[in-house]
Amino acid sequence: MTDLTILYYTDNSLPSRFAAAVRAHLIASAGKAGGIPIVSISQRPIDFGHNVCLGDIGRSYRSILRQIAAGCLACETEFVALCEHDVLYPPEHFFLRPVKGEVVFDQNRHRALMDCRRFSVDRGGRSMQLVIAERAVLLMDAVAKLVRCFFDEDFHDAFEPGKGSETLGIAKIEYEMLAAPGPGILDLVNHGGNYAPCKRHSGRLVKRLDPWGTVEDVMTTYFIGGKAG
């Protein structure tokens, strides 16, 4: 029995074939990592893992934290991995674990930039899509921020675990920046459906990236483009 649950959250804004292809990739990675269970938290019902549908709560930092908190409440494992609907995760990512009471941000991440057909490599940083955490720690942090932040701009500097604690007067979450082995997480950006629609082209840009090939190859494999459905 695994000690980890994948929390896949979506606002159901992606084109249906794109979304289905990313979910199929996540199922394959979860299987290769030892059969990790998946809880999906959506705004419309979807047939993916154990689904928790919150209804149409909109696209905002608040709605993301609400979905994460609902996912934490819907599972019982000690640890959770946050997975966004337009990110590809290798199996190796799910072997990372934080020190007790802390959060891990996987630094082995790259971006596939649809608008310029390049990969931005070695992105790293602190982003929700990179988080593996103790379920109780993540739930506590999400709920505390939901109680204290009222407008989307309030979440901007306090969104990820380990940010905004002193300003909000909540328990501080320690974090580690670790890099899982393997090909790395692939963040699919500037495809027209990102919550933050214009991602900056910082970092080293390359035309090809193993094992993905070119950005055009990624777009073909994952049916990127078209209208939301």
Side-chain angles (χ1 to χ4, degrees):
M1 179 68 69
T2 180
D3 62 350
L4 179 77
T5 298
I6 289 171
L7 301 186
Y8 165 94
Y9 53 98
T10 178
D11 59 12
N12 300 93
S13 64
L14 296 183
S16 56
R17 290 208 302 170
F18 178 13
V22 173
R23 291 171 197 162
H25 183 275
L26 185 56
I27 289 173
S29 289
K32 292 175 183 177
I36 299 171
I38 297 173
V39 170
S40 62
I41 314 96
S42 60
Q43 298 192 26
R44 295 200 302 268
I46 58 174
D47 183 13
F48 189 54
H50 170 66
N51 181 234
V52 177
C53 179
L54 298 186
D56 185 8
I57 58 175
R59 305 181 77 186
S60 66
Y61 290 118
R62 173 173 287 277
S63 66
I64 292 171
L65 283 187
R66 283 184 62 186
Q67 289 181 258
I68 289 170
C72 287
L73 291 171
C75 67
E76 297 180 350
T77 54
E78 183 178 2
F79 300 102
V80 293
L82 299 184
C83 293
E84 295 186 359
H85 66 178
D86 55 359
V87 180
L88 303 174
Y89 295 88
E92 293 85 353
H93 168 69
F94 300 111
F95 292 110
L96 288 177
R97 295 293 184 276
V99 174
K100 188 170 181 61
E102 296 186 357
V103 168
V104 165
F105 291 92
D106 189 349
Q107 297 302 284
N108 191 6
R109 173 181 62 142
H110 314 289
R111 281 179 169 173
L113 305 168
M114 306 306 150
D115 54 355
C116 72
R117 304 296 194 266
R118 295 291 187 273
F119 294 99
S120 177
V121 299
D122 304 319
R123 287 289 307 176
R126 276 193 290 177
S127 176
M128 280 296 195
Q129 64 191 223
L130 311 178
V131 165
I132 293 181
E134 279 190 79
R135 180 174 63 93
V137 168
L138 191 62
L139 176 61
M140 176 187 69
D141 191 64
V143 170
K145 289 172 180 177
L146 285 169
V147 168
R148 288 164 174 78
C149 297
F150 298 97
F151 304 102
D152 220 30
E153 55 267 26
D154 296 335
F155 288 96
H156 189 265
D157 294 321
F159 187 51
E160 292 85 7
K163 294 177 69 175
S165 304
E166 292 184 4
T167 302
L168 296 175
I170 63 176
K172 184 179 180 180
I173 305 298
E174 300 294 338
Y175 61 90
E176 289 185 278
M177 315 285 265
L178 300 177
I185 294 168
L186 189 62
D187 185 5
L188 309 173
V189 304
N190 298 336
H191 52 70
N194 302 98
Y195 172 53
C198 196
K199 303 285 186 175
R200 291 176 294 177
H201 295 180
S202 57
R204 183 165 56 94
L205 299 182
V206 299
K207 291 183 178 180
R208 297 186 65 89
L209 183 67
D210 291 333
W212 312 104
T214 65
V215 171
E216 287 87 350
D217 294 332
V218 173
M219 293 177 72
T220 298
T221 300
Y222 293 95
F223 307 102
I224 298 173
K227 297 179 180 179

